Structures are given as C-alpha cells and as structure tokens.
Amino acid sequence: MAADGPSGARKPVSVLFVCLGNICRSPMAEGVFRSMTKSDTRVGTIDSAGTGAYHEGSSPDPRTMSVLEENGENGYQHEARKVRNSDFKDFDYVLGMDADNLDDLSRQQRRIIKNGGVHAAPAKVMMFGDFGGRKGEEVIDPYYGARDGFSIAYEQMTRFSKGFIDQVLQDADITPS
Ligand code: 4NP
C-alpha cells in the first residue's frame, strides 16, 4: 500500500483496472494509463482483470487494440484473466468500469474480509469514472456495439487517467531517502 516508509517516502501506487470480460474496457484503461504514467516513479504495478472468466487467456479485442494504436499507443500486450482474491491485497486501487463491476468487486471484497479480516483485502475499490469529475460515471460495455463505443471509451480512459494522476498521485510523491 502507498503508506509512508521509514524515510517518509511513499510506496508507488498500484492499480488494477476491472471490467466484465477483460478484453475491451479494462485492457484499454490499462494501456492508456500505462502510456500516461510511463517512467513515473509514483506508479507501481498496473494490471487489468475481469469479473468473469469467459475470455481467460485471450488477447484484447481487436477494436481495443486498434483504438489504442490509432492514438499512438503501440506494443501493449495482455492476456485476459479473472479477478483473484489476492488482488484486493496486492493492489492499492481496484477500479471498476461500471456499476455492475463495482457491485461484483464490493461483494467479493466483503466476502474476503468476512473470512480473513480487513488486512486480507485493504484495496480501495472504486469506479474509475469517479476520477472523471462526475462521481460514478460509467464506461458503457462496447462489446456488442459499434466501433464508436470504443472511441468513446478511449476518451473516458484518458480523462479518468488524468484525474487519477492529479487526485491520487500528487499525494504520493516519492521523496528521496
Ligand atoms: P469488457 O467487454 O467487459 O469491456 O471486456 C465484454 C467482453 C465480452 C463479454 C462481455 C463484455 N462477453 O460477454 O463475452
């Protein structure tokens, strides 16, 4: 977790992006956030996962990849995976894309805490859209729709990432030890 260390330095902030299938929205969020925080020492592990296991092991949807590439974000690779109980301990922030994701994540976190105590799942579970200036803004699932949905999602990911950087990382400056 991003707490003060012995020298007063903060540990890098780790972030897990979550959607349903982990092939459209959360890999896009991960790709955008990775590119916007490249070589930023305030950021630790970045990953993405799905609340469902339908596409486990698959690469991101070609429409996610083409929107990323169209915006100059090349070289992103990911294999879809399901959210694990350990993610709630390993990541400082677990960020859902819509209200269903948030419900599923909150329910999983409550279950882990019930069985293992708060130390088993201390992550902050929130909507990524909370960082867009309007609390609870959802990223609509674009999977069954037209490519347009992916471009709309890309604009949101960029805006939410900026908000996260401004609101969370400003507070996590690494002071030299
Ligand atoms: P994602 O989109 O949650 O943004 O990755 C979806 C991808 C696949 C399915 C649903 C949503 N699906 O039902 O297969």
Side-chain angles (χ1 to χ4, degrees):
M1 301 295 287
D4 282 345
S7 62
R10 298 244 176 180
K11 281 168 71 184
V13 174
S14 52
V15 188
L16 180 71
F17 297 100
V18 177
C19 60
L20 175 60
N22 191 211
I23 55 167
C24 299
R25 292 165 293 172
S26 58
M28 186 187 289
E30 184 193 346
V32 168
F33 190 74
R34 273 186 188 282
S35 140
M36 287 176 70
T37 59
K38 204 165 19 192
S39 47
D40 189 329
T41 53
R42 298 170 301 180
V43 179
T45 307
I46 306 167
D47 199 2
S48 63
T51 56
Y54 322 104
H55 296 278
E56 218 150 24
S58 300
S59 296
D61 188 286
R63 295 166 293 178
T64 285
M65 292 308 292
S66 76
V67 167
L68 285 175
E69 281 157 16
E70 201 174 270
N71 286 280
E73 290 162 18
N74 301 300
Y76 171 66
Q77 291 186 325
H78 183 70
E79 254 185 39
R81 71 167 179 90
K82 192 172 188 296
V83 175
R84 308 174 186 121
N85 285 351
S86 57
D87 288 329
F88 294 86
K89 188 169 182 171
D90 293 343
F91 289 89
D92 296 308
Y93 285 84
V94 175
L95 302 176
M97 298 296 138
D98 63 27
D100 287 341
N101 303 152
L102 188 65
D103 280 352
D104 289 340
L105 290 168
S106 301
R107 203 171 314 114
Q108 186 169 356
Q109 184 179 37
R110 279 198 298 276
R111 209 168 39 236
I112 303 166
I113 290 174
K114 191 169 165 222
N115 294 325
V118 284
H119 298 298
K124 288 187 176 66
V125 174
M126 299 172 67
M127 294 258 284
F128 192 24
D130 288 345
F131 296 99
R134 181 157 60 84
K135 192 164 163 43
E137 182 178 338
E138 296 189 287
V139 183
I140 303 299
D141 187 350
Y143 184 62
Y144 294 105
R147 191 176 182 283
D148 193 36
F150 287 78
S151 306
I152 293 166
Y154 181 85
E155 182 281 320
Q156 290 181 294
M157 302 313 180
T158 310
R159 187 157 43 84
F160 300 166
S161 293
K162 278 196 191 110
F164 187 90
I165 291 165
D166 290 347
Q167 293 166 47
V168 177
L169 298 185
Q170 299 297 24
D171 194 38
D173 272 329
I174 311 271
T175 48
S177 49

